[in-house]
Amino acid sequence: MSRKNLEKSDSAVRNPTERILMALKMHGAMTSAQMGEKLKTTGEAARQHLTRLSEEGLVSEERRVAGRGRPSVYWSLTQAGHDHFPNAHADLAVDVLSSIEQALGQDALDTIVAMREARTHERYSCEMDSLSTLSARVEKLAELRNAEGYMAMTQTDKDGNLVLIENHCPICAAARFCQSFCRSELEIYRKILGPTVEVERTEHILGDAHRCAYRITDKAPTKA
């Protein structure tokens, strides 16, 4: 899914609370003025909403100094704010994985991750088999991930490389327990996009970033 389509879905959320949480999830920390622009209202009105959400424990504020003058107040999601979004039955997933590890050992857990990787790779391959260009394949990958709850989008960086962004991780709790899931997903991307494509994770939710991001570079030699 493209940034444009995600912006449309973002603005389609009518409830101010949901729109604020969605905006912070999608775009990271913002000032009240920036939030006001997103909500198409005033910065003061946005600040009042953010203050209320802070009292509810869903957002927190941070003062940042940039040059001279007073520091700017940036608002971001707390862990409770992140937990507001679907997490694919986090407690149950962790409990099941923990039970497998305790009863059957790490090898059994690795087997489950490998099976999930193989099934996901096969499904993505079927969906992308007819797509010949890298940009089309990355866009389809974002579409598939978005349908799975990753709030995925694509964009192009300053060097012209494609970037796959996942603003949410619905299996985050499971991935924290078993980080092989993260390794597996990166490996799926590398396999599905082809041997001449380099995929590098540049931002990671488990590394305290507010999203996961993957820089995708086509290393195939250009035709003369």
PDB file of all heavy atoms in Angstrom, residues 158-189:
ATOM      1  N   LYS A 158      16.005   9.329  -0.183  1.00  0.00           N
ATOM      2  CA  LYS A 158      16.677  10.410  -0.906  1.00  0.00           C
ATOM      3  C   LYS A 158      17.635   9.898  -1.974  1.00  0.00           C
ATOM      4  O   LYS A 158      17.995  10.631  -2.897  1.00  0.00           O
ATOM      5  CB  LYS A 158      17.439  11.311   0.079  1.00  0.00           C
ATOM      6  CG  LYS A 158      18.514  10.606   0.895  1.00  0.00           C
ATOM      7  CD  LYS A 158      19.164  11.567   1.868  1.00  0.00           C
ATOM      8  CE  LYS A 158      20.210  10.879   2.743  1.00  0.00           C
ATOM      9  NZ  LYS A 158      21.312  10.306   1.957  1.00  0.00           N
ATOM     10  N   ASP A 159      18.043   8.624  -1.862  1.00  0.00           N
ATOM     11  CA  ASP A 159      18.946   8.042  -2.849  1.00  0.00           C
ATOM     12  C   ASP A 159      18.211   7.292  -3.950  1.00  0.00           C
ATOM     13  O   ASP A 159      18.832   6.686  -4.819  1.00  0.00           O
ATOM     14  CB  ASP A 159      19.935   7.090  -2.166  1.00  0.00           C
ATOM     15  CG  ASP A 159      20.840   7.816  -1.170  1.00  0.00           C
ATOM     16  OD1 ASP A 159      21.302   8.926  -1.510  1.00  0.00           O
ATOM     17  OD2 ASP A 159      21.077   7.278  -0.081  1.00  0.00           O
ATOM     18  N   GLY A 160      16.881   7.344  -3.885  1.00  0.00           N
ATOM     19  CA  GLY A 160      16.079   6.675  -4.904  1.00  0.00           C
ATOM     20  C   GLY A 160      15.794   5.220  -4.618  1.00  0.00           C
ATOM     21  O   GLY A 160      15.211   4.521  -5.461  1.00  0.00           O
ATOM     22  N   ASN A 161      16.178   4.723  -3.424  1.00  0.00           N
ATOM     23  CA  ASN A 161      15.906   3.337  -3.065  1.00  0.00           C
ATOM     24  C   ASN A 161      14.475   3.188  -2.552  1.00  0.00           C
ATOM     25  O   ASN A 161      13.948   4.084  -1.883  1.00  0.00           O
ATOM     26  CB  ASN A 161      16.870   2.866  -1.972  1.00  0.00           C
ATOM     27  CG  ASN A 161      18.312   2.901  -2.418  1.00  0.00           C
ATOM     28  OD1 ASN A 161      18.660   2.387  -3.463  1.00  0.00           O
ATOM     29  ND2 ASN A 161      19.159   3.530  -1.614  1.00  0.00           N
ATOM     30  N   LEU A 162      13.877   2.067  -2.848  1.00  0.00           N
ATOM     31  CA  LEU A 162      12.564   1.765  -2.291  1.00  0.00           C
ATOM     32  C   LEU A 162      12.699   1.435  -0.807  1.00  0.00           C
ATOM     33  O   LEU A 162      13.695   0.838  -0.382  1.00  0.00           O
ATOM     34  CB  LEU A 162      11.942   0.572  -3.018  1.00  0.00           C
ATOM     35  CG  LEU A 162      11.524   0.813  -4.468  1.00  0.00           C
ATOM     36  CD1 LEU A 162      11.264  -0.517  -5.173  1.00  0.00           C
ATOM     37  CD2 LEU A 162      10.275   1.689  -4.514  1.00  0.00           C
ATOM     38  N   VAL A 163      11.709   1.816  -0.028  1.00  0.00           N
ATOM     39  CA  VAL A 163      11.702   1.526   1.404  1.00  0.00           C
ATOM     40  C   VAL A 163      10.343   0.931   1.768  1.00  0.00           C
ATOM     41  O   VAL A 163       9.301   1.516   1.452  1.00  0.00           O
ATOM     42  CB  VAL A 163      11.954   2.794   2.248  1.00  0.00           C
ATOM     43  CG1 VAL A 163      11.950   2.445   3.733  1.00  0.00           C
ATOM     44  CG2 VAL A 163      13.264   3.452   1.862  1.00  0.00           C
ATOM     45  N   LEU A 164      10.370  -0.234   2.378  1.00  0.00           N
ATOM     46  CA  LEU A 164       9.163  -0.848   2.922  1.00  0.00           C
ATOM     47  C   LEU A 164       9.078  -0.483   4.391  1.00  0.00           C
ATOM     48  O   LEU A 164      10.030  -0.718   5.150  1.00  0.00           O
ATOM     49  CB  LEU A 164       9.215  -2.370   2.761  1.00  0.00           C
ATOM     50  CG  LEU A 164       8.102  -3.165   3.456  1.00  0.00           C
ATOM     51  CD1 LEU A 164       6.749  -2.891   2.798  1.00  0.00           C
ATOM     52  CD2 LEU A 164       8.409  -4.663   3.434  1.00  0.00           C
ATOM     53  N   ILE A 165       7.971   0.107   4.793  1.00  0.00           N
ATOM     54  CA  ILE A 165       7.787   0.550   6.177  1.00  0.00           C
ATOM     55  C   ILE A 165       6.620  -0.205   6.801  1.00  0.00           C
ATOM     56  O   ILE A 165       5.556  -0.334   6.193  1.00  0.00           O
ATOM     57  CB  ILE A 165       7.524   2.064   6.245  1.00  0.00           C
ATOM     58  CG1 ILE A 165       8.766   2.832   5.768  1.00  0.00           C
ATOM     59  CG2 ILE A 165       7.135   2.497   7.657  1.00  0.00           C
ATOM     60  CD1 ILE A 165       8.540   4.306   5.596  1.00  0.00           C
ATOM     61  N   GLU A 166       6.835  -0.728   8.003  1.00  0.00           N
ATOM     62  CA  GLU A 166       5.778  -1.373   8.771  1.00  0.00           C
ATOM     63  C   GLU A 166       5.600  -0.590  10.066  1.00  0.00           C
ATOM     64  O   GLU A 166       6.466  -0.601  10.934  1.00  0.00           O
ATOM     65  CB  GLU A 166       6.151  -2.831   9.048  1.00  0.00           C
ATOM     66  CG  GLU A 166       6.228  -3.656   7.768  1.00  0.00           C
ATOM     67  CD  GLU A 166       6.729  -5.076   7.971  1.00  0.00           C
ATOM     68  OE1 GLU A 166       7.251  -5.374   9.069  1.00  0.00           O
ATOM     69  OE2 GLU A 166       6.590  -5.864   7.035  1.00  0.00           O
ATOM     70  N   ASN A 167       4.487   0.106  10.160  1.00  0.00           N
ATOM     71  CA  ASN A 167       4.248   0.989  11.295  1.00  0.00           C
ATOM     72  C   ASN A 167       3.737   0.253  12.532  1.00  0.00           C
ATOM     73  O   ASN A 167       3.656   0.841  13.607  1.00  0.00           O
ATOM     74  CB  ASN A 167       3.246   2.073  10.898  1.00  0.00           C
ATOM     75  CG  ASN A 167       3.825   3.021   9.866  1.00  0.00           C
ATOM     76  OD1 ASN A 167       4.671   3.848  10.178  1.00  0.00           O
ATOM     77  ND2 ASN A 167       3.388   2.894   8.618  1.00  0.00           N
ATOM     78  N   HIS A 168       3.401  -1.016  12.367  1.00  0.00           N
ATOM     79  CA  HIS A 168       2.883  -1.788  13.496  1.00  0.00           C
ATOM     80  C   HIS A 168       3.332  -3.233  13.334  1.00  0.00           C
ATOM     81  O   HIS A 168       3.522  -3.717  12.216  1.00  0.00           O
ATOM     82  CB  HIS A 168       1.352  -1.724  13.516  1.00  0.00           C
ATOM     83  CG  HIS A 168       0.724  -2.493  14.635  1.00  0.00           C
ATOM     84  ND1 HIS A 168       1.027  -2.262  15.958  1.00  0.00           N
ATOM     85  CD2 HIS A 168      -0.182  -3.510  14.627  1.00  0.00           C
ATOM     86  CE1 HIS A 168       0.318  -3.076  16.721  1.00  0.00           C
ATOM     87  NE2 HIS A 168      -0.419  -3.848  15.939  1.00  0.00           N
ATOM     88  N   CYS A 169       3.537  -3.907  14.446  1.00  0.00           N
ATOM     89  CA  CYS A 169       3.890  -5.328  14.421  1.00  0.00           C
ATOM     90  C   CYS A 169       2.854  -6.104  15.229  1.00  0.00           C
ATOM     91  O   CYS A 169       2.867  -6.069  16.468  1.00  0.00           O
ATOM     92  CB  CYS A 169       5.284  -5.564  14.992  1.00  0.00           C
ATOM     93  SG  CYS A 169       5.738  -7.322  15.016  1.00  0.00           S
ATOM     94  N   PRO A 170       1.928  -6.798  14.545  1.00  0.00           N
ATOM     95  CA  PRO A 170       0.885  -7.513  15.276  1.00  0.00           C
ATOM     96  C   PRO A 170       1.390  -8.758  16.005  1.00  0.00           C
ATOM     97  O   PRO A 170       0.645  -9.356  16.777  1.00  0.00           O
ATOM     98  CB  PRO A 170      -0.113  -7.895  14.167  1.00  0.00           C
ATOM     99  CG  PRO A 170       0.712  -7.951  12.930  1.00  0.00           C
ATOM    100  CD  PRO A 170       1.768  -6.909  13.088  1.00  0.00           C
ATOM    101  N   ILE A 171       2.645  -9.153  15.768  1.00  0.00           N
ATOM    102  CA  ILE A 171       3.214 -10.297  16.492  1.00  0.00           C
ATOM    103  C   ILE A 171       4.377  -9.844  17.372  1.00  0.00           C
ATOM    104  O   ILE A 171       5.278 -10.630  17.673  1.00  0.00           O
ATOM    105  CB  ILE A 171       3.672 -11.408  15.516  1.00  0.00           C
ATOM    106  CG1 ILE A 171       4.823 -10.905  14.631  1.00  0.00           C
ATOM    107  CG2 ILE A 171       2.511 -11.924  14.690  1.00  0.00           C
ATOM    108  CD1 ILE A 171       5.586 -12.035  13.940  1.00  0.00           C
ATOM    109  N   CYS A 172       4.344  -8.586  17.790  1.00  0.00           N
ATOM    110  CA  CYS A 172       5.481  -8.013  18.514  1.00  0.00           C
ATOM    111  C   CYS A 172       5.810  -8.795  19.786  1.00  0.00           C
ATOM    112  O   CYS A 172       6.979  -9.054  20.084  1.00  0.00           O
ATOM    113  CB  CYS A 172       5.202  -6.552  18.850  1.00  0.00           C
ATOM    114  SG  CYS A 172       6.651  -5.669  19.464  1.00  0.00           S
ATOM    115  N   ALA A 173       4.798  -9.182  20.536  1.00  0.00           N
ATOM    116  CA  ALA A 173       5.052  -9.912  21.785  1.00  0.00           C
ATOM    117  C   ALA A 173       5.727 -11.241  21.499  1.00  0.00           C
ATOM    118  O   ALA A 173       6.683 -11.634  22.185  1.00  0.00           O
ATOM    119  CB  ALA A 173       3.742 -10.129  22.532  1.00  0.00           C
ATOM    120  N   ALA A 174       5.263 -11.933  20.461  1.00  0.00           N
ATOM    121  CA  ALA A 174       5.883 -13.209  20.087  1.00  0.00           C
ATOM    122  C   ALA A 174       7.310 -12.993  19.605  1.00  0.00           C
ATOM    123  O   ALA A 174       8.211 -13.777  19.906  1.00  0.00           O
ATOM    124  CB  ALA A 174       5.047 -13.894  19.003  1.00  0.00           C
ATOM    125  N   ALA A 175       7.527 -11.907  18.856  1.00  0.00           N
ATOM    126  CA  ALA A 175       8.866 -11.609  18.336  1.00  0.00           C
ATOM    127  C   ALA A 175       9.829 -11.242  19.459  1.00  0.00           C
ATOM    128  O   ALA A 175      11.020 -11.550  19.392  1.00  0.00           O
ATOM    129  CB  ALA A 175       8.788 -10.486  17.312  1.00  0.00           C
ATOM    130  N   ARG A 176       9.331 -10.579  20.497  1.00  0.00           N
ATOM    131  CA  ARG A 176      10.192 -10.271  21.646  1.00  0.00           C
ATOM    132  C   ARG A 176      10.617 -11.555  22.355  1.00  0.00           C
ATOM    133  O   ARG A 176      11.743 -11.672  22.839  1.00  0.00           O
ATOM    134  CB  ARG A 176       9.470  -9.344  22.622  1.00  0.00           C
ATOM    135  CG  ARG A 176       9.328  -7.911  22.124  1.00  0.00           C
ATOM    136  CD  ARG A 176       8.774  -6.992  23.207  1.00  0.00           C
ATOM    137  NE  ARG A 176       8.477  -5.677  22.662  1.00  0.00           N
ATOM    138  CZ  ARG A 176       9.389  -4.729  22.467  1.00  0.00           C
ATOM    139  NH1 ARG A 176      10.649  -4.964  22.783  1.00  0.00           N
ATOM    140  NH2 ARG A 176       9.037  -3.559  21.965  1.00  0.00           N
ATOM    141  N   PHE A 177       9.692 -12.502  22.430  1.00  0.00           N
ATOM    142  CA  PHE A 177      10.014 -13.779  23.079  1.00  0.00           C
ATOM    143  C   PHE A 177      10.965 -14.596  22.215  1.00  0.00           C
ATOM    144  O   PHE A 177      11.896 -15.228  22.723  1.00  0.00           O
ATOM    145  CB  PHE A 177       8.726 -14.577  23.329  1.00  0.00           C
ATOM    146  CG  PHE A 177       8.968 -15.918  23.955  1.00  0.00           C
ATOM    147  CD1 PHE A 177       9.141 -16.034  25.326  1.00  0.00           C
ATOM    148  CD2 PHE A 177       9.045 -17.059  23.168  1.00  0.00           C
ATOM    149  CE1 PHE A 177       9.387 -17.279  25.911  1.00  0.00           C
ATOM    150  CE2 PHE A 177       9.284 -18.303  23.738  1.00  0.00           C
ATOM    151  CZ  PHE A 177       9.456 -18.415  25.109  1.00  0.00           C
ATOM    152  N   CYS A 178      10.735 -14.573  20.908  1.00  0.00           N
ATOM    153  CA  CYS A 178      11.542 -15.377  19.985  1.00  0.00           C
ATOM    154  C   CYS A 178      11.910 -14.510  18.781  1.00  0.00           C
ATOM    155  O   CYS A 178      11.127 -14.369  17.844  1.00  0.00           O
ATOM    156  CB  CYS A 178      10.758 -16.617  19.533  1.00  0.00           C
ATOM    157  SG  CYS A 178      11.622 -17.634  18.322  1.00  0.00           S
ATOM    158  N   GLN A 179      13.102 -13.922  18.822  1.00  0.00           N
ATOM    159  CA  GLN A 179      13.488 -12.989  17.778  1.00  0.00           C
ATOM    160  C   GLN A 179      13.807 -13.674  16.451  1.00  0.00           C
ATOM    161  O   GLN A 179      14.095 -13.008  15.458  1.00  0.00           O
ATOM    162  CB  GLN A 179      14.663 -12.132  18.248  1.00  0.00           C
ATOM    163  CG  GLN A 179      14.272 -11.220  19.394  1.00  0.00           C
ATOM    164  CD  GLN A 179      15.253 -10.074  19.604  1.00  0.00           C
ATOM    165  OE1 GLN A 179      16.025  -9.709  18.722  1.00  0.00           O
ATOM    166  NE2 GLN A 179      15.202  -9.490  20.794  1.00  0.00           N
ATOM    167  N   SER A 180      13.716 -14.997  16.415  1.00  0.00           N
ATOM    168  CA  SER A 180      13.849 -15.707  15.155  1.00  0.00           C
ATOM    169  C   SER A 180      12.742 -15.307  14.183  1.00  0.00           C
ATOM    170  O   SER A 180      12.910 -15.408  12.964  1.00  0.00           O
ATOM    171  CB  SER A 180      13.815 -17.223  15.379  1.00  0.00           C
ATOM    172  OG  SER A 180      14.961 -17.665  16.069  1.00  0.00           O
ATOM    173  N   PHE A 181      11.598 -14.850  14.712  1.00  0.00           N
ATOM    174  CA  PHE A 181      10.528 -14.390  13.828  1.00  0.00           C
ATOM    175  C   PHE A 181      10.993 -13.188  13.005  1.00  0.00           C
ATOM    176  O   PHE A 181      10.682 -13.080  11.817  1.00  0.00           O
ATOM    177  CB  PHE A 181       9.286 -14.019  14.640  1.00  0.00           C
ATOM    178  CG  PHE A 181       8.505 -15.202  15.137  1.00  0.00           C
ATOM    179  CD1 PHE A 181       8.474 -15.507  16.487  1.00  0.00           C
ATOM    180  CD2 PHE A 181       7.797 -16.003  14.261  1.00  0.00           C
ATOM    181  CE1 PHE A 181       7.764 -16.596  16.954  1.00  0.00           C
ATOM    182  CE2 PHE A 181       7.076 -17.103  14.715  1.00  0.00           C
ATOM    183  CZ  PHE A 181       7.062 -17.404  16.070  1.00  0.00           C
ATOM    184  N   CYS A 182      11.737 -12.280  13.626  1.00  0.00           N
ATOM    185  CA  CYS A 182      12.245 -11.106  12.909  1.00  0.00           C
ATOM    186  C   CYS A 182      13.271 -11.516  11.863  1.00  0.00           C
ATOM    187  O   CYS A 182      13.256 -11.014  10.735  1.00  0.00           O
ATOM    188  CB  CYS A 182      12.850 -10.108  13.893  1.00  0.00           C
ATOM    189  SG  CYS A 182      11.662  -9.378  15.032  1.00  0.00           S
ATOM    190  N   ARG A 183      14.169 -12.411  12.242  1.00  0.00           N
ATOM    191  CA  ARG A 183      15.160 -12.905  11.291  1.00  0.00           C
ATOM    192  C   ARG A 183      14.476 -13.590  10.118  1.00  0.00           C
ATOM    193  O   ARG A 183      14.846 -13.403   8.947  1.00  0.00           O
ATOM    194  CB  ARG A 183      16.106 -13.890  11.981  1.00  0.00           C
ATOM    195  CG  ARG A 183      17.126 -14.529  11.039  1.00  0.00           C
ATOM    196  CD  ARG A 183      17.559 -15.906  11.506  1.00  0.00           C
ATOM    197  NE  ARG A 183      16.451 -16.804  11.745  1.00  0.00           N
ATOM    198  CZ  ARG A 183      15.779 -17.412  10.775  1.00  0.00           C
ATOM    199  NH1 ARG A 183      16.057 -17.180   9.498  1.00  0.00           N
ATOM    200  NH2 ARG A 183      14.793 -18.237  11.073  1.00  0.00           N
ATOM    201  N   SER A 184      13.434 -14.356  10.426  1.00  0.00           N
ATOM    202  CA  SER A 184      12.708 -15.092   9.395  1.00  0.00           C
ATOM    203  C   SER A 184      12.017 -14.154   8.412  1.00  0.00           C
ATOM    204  O   SER A 184      12.057 -14.375   7.199  1.00  0.00           O
ATOM    205  CB  SER A 184      11.668 -16.006  10.067  1.00  0.00           C
ATOM    206  OG  SER A 184      10.864 -16.640   9.094  1.00  0.00           O
ATOM    207  N   GLU A 185      11.405 -13.091   8.924  1.00  0.00           N
ATOM    208  CA  GLU A 185      10.702 -12.170   8.038  1.00  0.00           C
ATOM    209  C   GLU A 185      11.674 -11.445   7.115  1.00  0.00           C
ATOM    210  O   GLU A 185      11.383 -11.243   5.927  1.00  0.00           O
ATOM    211  CB  GLU A 185       9.884 -11.180   8.868  1.00  0.00           C
ATOM    212  CG  GLU A 185       8.697 -11.850   9.547  1.00  0.00           C
ATOM    213  CD  GLU A 185       7.810 -10.880  10.300  1.00  0.00           C
ATOM    214  OE1 GLU A 185       8.278  -9.762  10.616  1.00  0.00           O
ATOM    215  OE2 GLU A 185       6.647 -11.238  10.570  1.00  0.00           O
ATOM    216  N   LEU A 186      12.837 -11.080   7.632  1.00  0.00           N
ATOM    217  CA  LEU A 186      13.847 -10.450   6.786  1.00  0.00           C
ATOM    218  C   LEU A 186      14.305 -11.420   5.701  1.00  0.00           C
ATOM    219  O   LEU A 186      14.498 -11.036   4.535  1.00  0.00           O
ATOM    220  CB  LEU A 186      15.038 -10.008   7.641  1.00  0.00           C
ATOM    221  CG  LEU A 186      16.198  -9.325   6.912  1.00  0.00           C
ATOM    222  CD1 LEU A 186      15.726  -8.082   6.156  1.00  0.00           C
ATOM    223  CD2 LEU A 186      17.304  -8.955   7.906  1.00  0.00           C
ATOM    224  N   GLU A 187      14.459 -12.681   6.057  1.00  0.00           N
ATOM    225  CA  GLU A 187      14.879 -13.687   5.084  1.00  0.00           C
ATOM    226  C   GLU A 187      13.811 -13.892   4.009  1.00  0.00           C
ATOM    227  O   GLU A 187      14.138 -14.080   2.823  1.00  0.00           O
ATOM    228  CB  GLU A 187      15.155 -15.015   5.797  1.00  0.00           C
ATOM    229  CG  GLU A 187      15.812 -16.066   4.936  1.00  0.00           C
ATOM    230  CD  GLU A 187      17.173 -15.654   4.414  1.00  0.00           C
ATOM    231  OE1 GLU A 187      17.843 -14.839   5.079  1.00  0.00           O
ATOM    232  OE2 GLU A 187      17.555 -16.144   3.334  1.00  0.00           O
ATOM    233  N   ILE A 188      12.543 -13.835   4.387  1.00  0.00           N
ATOM    234  CA  ILE A 188      11.453 -13.952   3.416  1.00  0.00           C
ATOM    235  C   ILE A 188      11.545 -12.829   2.390  1.00  0.00           C
ATOM    236  O   ILE A 188      11.428 -13.058   1.180  1.00  0.00           O
ATOM    237  CB  ILE A 188      10.088 -13.917   4.131  1.00  0.00           C
ATOM    238  CG1 ILE A 188       9.855 -15.209   4.917  1.00  0.00           C
ATOM    239  CG2 ILE A 188       8.948 -13.730   3.107  1.00  0.00           C
ATOM    240  CD1 ILE A 188       8.656 -15.155   5.830  1.00  0.00           C
ATOM    241  N   TYR A 189      11.756 -11.619   2.853  1.00  0.00           N
ATOM    242  CA  TYR A 189      11.847 -10.480   1.933  1.00  0.00           C
ATOM    243  C   TYR A 189      12.998 -10.663   0.954  1.00  0.00           C
ATOM    244  O   TYR A 189      12.869 -10.378  -0.245  1.00  0.00           O
ATOM    245  CB  TYR A 189      12.042  -9.176   2.706  1.00  0.00           C
ATOM    246  CG  TYR A 189      10.919  -8.823   3.653  1.00  0.00           C
ATOM    247  CD1 TYR A 189      11.089  -7.875   4.658  1.00  0.00           C
ATOM    248  CD2 TYR A 189       9.678  -9.442   3.561  1.00  0.00           C
ATOM    249  CE1 TYR A 189      10.068  -7.562   5.534  1.00  0.00           C
ATOM    250  CE2 TYR A 189       8.655  -9.138   4.431  1.00  0.00           C
ATOM    251  CZ  TYR A 189       8.859  -8.195   5.418  1.00  0.00           C
ATOM    252  OH  TYR A 189       7.845  -7.879   6.284  1.00  0.00           O
TER     253      TYR A 189
END
